[in-house]
Amino acid sequence: DIQLTQSPSFLSASVGDRVTITCRASQGISSYLAWYQQKPGKAPELLISAASTLQSGVPSRFSGSGSGTEFTLTISSLQPEDFATYYCQQLNSYPPGRTFGQGTKVEIK
Amino acid sequence: EVQLVQSGAEVKKPGESLKISCKGSGYSFTSYWIAWVRQMPGKGLEWMGIIYPGDSDTKYSPSFQGQVTISADKSISTAYLQWNSLKASDTAMYYCARLVSRSGPLDYWGQGTLVTVSS
């Protein structure tokens, strides 16, 4: 099974900060990676697919990059509504093995 | 508008059975895979399995194979997640979500169904 490791697990930042979250895969997954945002008490929402394709309606301050085994989600200028938990998910495996990273919680400093 | 609407919260006792539902609307329900995702209290997301409502082809994560049953009734655009004998460790929020394609991400999510198993 492909394992995903996110870092950091917890991040404290201020409004306006540039934030970067890393997701590392245990083996190469090309660009088969998605990023989701989950706010407390809500279902996750898709932010980015194919490692770098921003979903319609997602603010341009979000961006994704990477391929192979290392990926990043960047928020260029953190806004109050961005405080949430972020998950990566690999889409390379046959469907039963579509693992998620353990999550990165972004909190207000 | 694409919507996935899940059934309401459930409180059950260990050993009881349960079937929760996820009704799709605003798109061709038979043309997209539906996934089920577990989130235990305070924890991350876990991929349970998927079903293609068009022909009920189903794939389970090894961790959930034999523990749950995923099914669908395409005549009413509804997918299901079922347990025959609940355990306290099944206490979690369960989400259904639509796959963009079999190799794609989850683009629409249900609101979640909270299942609490307690004696």
Side-chain angles (χ1 to χ4, degrees):
Chain A
D1 285 5
I2 297 174
Q3 307 300 319
L4 295 178
T5 303
Q6 289 183 232
S7 59
S9 296
F10 176 85
L11 189 160
S12 181
S14 301
V15 172
D17 283 353
R18 182 182 181 86
V19 166
T20 299
I21 299 168
T22 298
C23 178
R24 289 188 174 86
S26 59
Q27 63 190 74
I29 58 172
S30 185
S31 297
Y32 292 103
L33 190 99
W35 290 97
Y36 302 88
Q37 177 193 65
Q38 186 179 32
K39 296 181 180 178
K42 300 292 186 183
E45 293 185 1
L46 177 64
L47 295 177
I48 287 170
S49 61
S52 60
T53 301
L54 207 62
Q55 293 305 111
S56 175
V58 175
S60 59
R61 62 181 179 272
F62 289 92
S63 64
S65 65
S67 67
T69 61
E70 187 152 335
F71 302 85
T72 58
L73 172 69
T74 300
I75 309 172
S76 60
S77 178
L78 199 64
Q79 297 302 301
E81 59 269 30
D82 301 336
F83 291 96
T85 300
Y86 294 84
Y87 295 94
C88 57
Q89 184 198 18
Q90 62 88 5
L91 308 172
N92 187 67
S93 296
Y94 185 63
R98 296 277 170 83
T99 46
F100 293 93
Q102 82 278 15
T104 296
K105 187 173 185 179
V106 177
E107 288 199 343
I108 301 172
K109 183 182 282 185
Chain B
E1 180 195 7
V2 174
Q3 283 193 310
L4 294 171
V5 178
Q6 297 185 230
S7 49
E10 301 274 2
V11 179
K12 291 289 190 179
K13 291 181 168 34
E16 291 186 331
S17 62
L18 177 64
K19 193 173 190 177
I20 62 174
S21 66
C22 168
K23 183 173 177 60
S25 62
Y27 72 101
S28 175
F29 186 73
T30 55
S31 300
Y32 291 82
W33 293 80
I34 291 286
W36 286 95
V37 175
R38 183 175 79 175
Q39 188 167 39
M40 299 178 77
K43 302 298 184 183
L45 305 173
E46 299 176 89
W47 180 271
M48 300 178 72
I50 58 173
I51 187 164
Y52 190 74
D55 61 6
S56 291
D57 187 15
T58 308
K59 320 284 183 191
Y60 293 93
S61 165
S63 300
F64 292 92
Q65 178 84 49
Q67 307 304 308
V68 296
T69 301
I70 295 171
S71 61
D73 184 341
K74 62 184 179 182
S75 69
I76 55 171
S77 300
T78 301
Y80 301 97
L81 180 64
Q82 180 177 358
W83 295 260
N84 289 334
S85 181
L86 286 159
K87 302 184 283 287
S89 58
D90 293 317
T91 293
M93 182 71 82
Y94 293 89
Y95 294 101
C96 66
R98 189 184 82 162
L99 271 78
V100 172
S101 64
R102 204 174 96 155
S103 60
L106 301 168
D107 63 345
Y108 288 92
W109 292 66
Q111 83 277 18
T113 296
L114 180 62
V115 174
T116 303
V117 184
S118 174
S119 54

